[in-house]
Amino acid sequence: MRSYTLTSPAKINLYLEILGDRPDGYHELAMILQTVELADKIDLRSLSTEDIRVRTSNPQLPTDNKNLAYQAAALMAAEFPEAFAQYGGVEINIDKHIPIAAGLAGGSSNAAAVLVGLDLMWKIGLTQSELETLASQLGSDVPFCIAGGTAIATGRGDDLSPLPSPEDIYVVLGKYRHIEVSTAWAYQTYRSQFGSSYVVNKQDLDSRAAAVHSSSMVSAIVHEDKEQIGQKLHNDLEKVVLPNYPQVAQLRQAFQQAGCLGTMMSGSGSTVFALCESQSQAKQVQQQIRTSLTEPNLDLWLTRLCSTGIQVLSSTR
Ligand code: C5P
């Protein structure tokens, strides 16, 4: 029996701008994505049968083909039938720490870990770019999750340009357990409210997407200017999520008042994050949120920006 254990970290959006519609029904985006240390652990174990099995520590998660990790294994089996036949099926154990439906790409990261792990287990030898191409079939955020770190993401979110990762920035994540925002709902609502301002001309779209490369956020990241990184956080989806989810708006305001480098909602929410210049500032922010919002359903995590994506922790042959 062969096995691989991998880390599967979460991401936050330091920047998310919606530029326009795409012919495939998705949106043209200009984003800056950032891995954080908060991670799930994925165990892959070979099976003697040609089955794909998923087990997870979170009973809320599906274990059938609705789970993106299952879909990643099914995609690898379909793309590489000889390796699947030779090495057999796989049992995927997901030890869940990243909150689900949170705008933190937990499911996307799990799928990325399965692609990376099966590539190794089945000795296929895919390049990072080949892994990213497969990943884009599973979801817009999955390609980024492979190498992680810090990257500009344009197009559907899968056209990636790596950036240097800022060091020593601590992050407090806050999420109400009972508030899950549908990503599809957030984008549809944004389209119905702001679609009339979308860029329609291909040339304008390209130049708007290119503009993120020379944006003040990229400059702040390259110069490791923590204050500016905090000040230049941006997420267009806040315009539709915050008015519809007053508790998320209240959490966002509480973070704002807690004295951090900057605060923003991640992806389509409902997680709100605060960037902090030190671990002690992050602890203070966490404490202040706990005091100002005496809400039993609010979970808080203290984590850190991270410069890597999926990592192999151990393997047996
Ligand atoms: O790609 P993924 O399945 O993660 O996207 C989830 C949903 O988010 C899509 O169904 C779509 O409604 C929306 N989306 C979008 N434009 C993007 C990425 C996601 O409209 N670039």
Side-chain angles (χ1 to χ4, degrees):
M1 190 200 64
R2 294 158 64 78
S3 74
Y4 277 87
T5 303
L6 305 104
T7 54
S8 170
K11 67 95 183 115
I12 54 174
N13 296 73
L14 299 178
Y15 189 89
L16 191 162
E17 188 183 357
I18 302 174
L19 302 177
D21 269 327
R22 289 168 59 91
D24 58 11
Y26 282 73
H27 285 86
E28 288 287 345
L29 304 174
M31 298 192 287
I32 300 172
L33 302 174
Q34 172 66 56
T35 308
V36 294
E37 285 179 351
L38 176 70
D40 296 335
K41 195 166 75 124
I42 307 280
D43 273 312
L44 302 178
R45 280 167 206 280
S46 60
L47 296 172
S48 51
T49 55
E50 286 192 14
D51 291 315
I52 297 170
R53 283 189 216 141
V54 175
R55 292 175 195 276
T56 149
S57 60
N58 184 334
Q60 271 182 285
L61 278 181
T63 53
D64 59 8
N65 64 2
K66 288 194 209 66
N67 190 310
L68 216 49
Y70 182 104
Q71 291 173 28
L75 177 66
M76 289 294 278
E79 291 284 326
F80 305 102
E82 284 169 18
F84 186 46
Q86 184 182 348
Y87 293 103
V90 63
E91 182 176 286
I92 303 163
N93 274 285
I94 307 173
D95 185 10
K96 207 72 196 152
H97 300 280
I98 306 171
I100 58 175
L104 297 175
S108 298
S109 176
N110 295 169
V114 170
L115 295 181
V116 171
L118 286 183
D119 173 55
L120 293 168
M121 199 145 110
W122 295 351
K123 299 189 174 170
I124 300 169
L126 294 170
T127 62
Q128 185 184 319
S129 136
E130 287 165 338
L131 282 166
E132 286 173 1
T133 303
L134 281 177
S136 69
Q137 295 182 43
L138 297 164
S140 313
D141 286 340
V142 187
F144 167 75
C145 294
I146 304 261
T150 312
I152 296 172
T154 53
R156 194 172 57 115
D158 55 357
D159 194 349
L160 301 171
S161 308
L163 289 170
S165 285
E167 282 180 22
D168 286 331
I169 295 187
Y170 290 79
V171 186
V172 181
L173 302 170
K175 179 179 182 294
Y176 283 106
R177 231 165 288 150
H178 58 292
I179 304 182
E180 295 184 354
V181 180
S182 150
T183 305
W185 169 86
Y187 278 101
Q188 273 160 25
T189 309
Y190 190 90
R191 180 185 287 136
S192 63
Q193 284 185 25
F194 302 101
S196 57
S197 64
Y198 280 178
V199 181
V200 285
N201 176 305
K202 167 95 178 83
Q203 220 176 350
D204 292 346
L205 207 52
D206 289 347
S207 66
R208 286 281 296 278
V212 72
H213 289 257
S214 51
S215 64
S216 42
M217 176 56 105
V218 168
S219 165
I221 289 169
V222 169
H223 294 102
E224 294 217 32
D225 184 338
K226 294 183 185 184
E227 300 276 338
Q228 277 298 305
I229 294 172
Q231 280 178 26
K232 298 296 172 189
L233 296 170
H234 177 84
N235 184 349
D236 274 342
L237 289 174
E238 282 200 340
K239 294 179 204 160
V240 291
V241 177
L242 299 189
N244 282 284
Y245 292 87
Q247 273 188 297
V248 182
Q250 195 189 22
L251 176 60
R252 171 79 164 76
Q253 205 179 5
F255 269 123
Q256 190 86 52
Q257 286 161 357
C260 51
L261 292 168
T263 174
M264 193 57 45
M265 186 181 79
S266 184
S268 57
S270 61
T271 303
V272 175
F273 66 86
L275 299 185
C276 302
E277 61 188 342
S278 63
Q279 192 172 28
S280 62
Q281 186 183 55
K283 282 185 177 158
Q284 270 169 28
V285 167
Q286 205 174 11
Q287 190 51 47
Q288 194 161 331
I289 299 286
R290 277 264 168 261
T291 317
S292 63
L293 301 171
T294 48
E295 172 58 70
N297 284 320
L298 177 64
D299 286 326
L300 295 170
W301 295 262
L302 201 164
T303 183
R304 214 159 53 133
L305 301 194
C306 171
S307 61
T308 51
I310 307 301
Q311 300 281 299
V312 176
L313 292 174
S314 62
S315 65
T316 59
R317 279 142 218 285

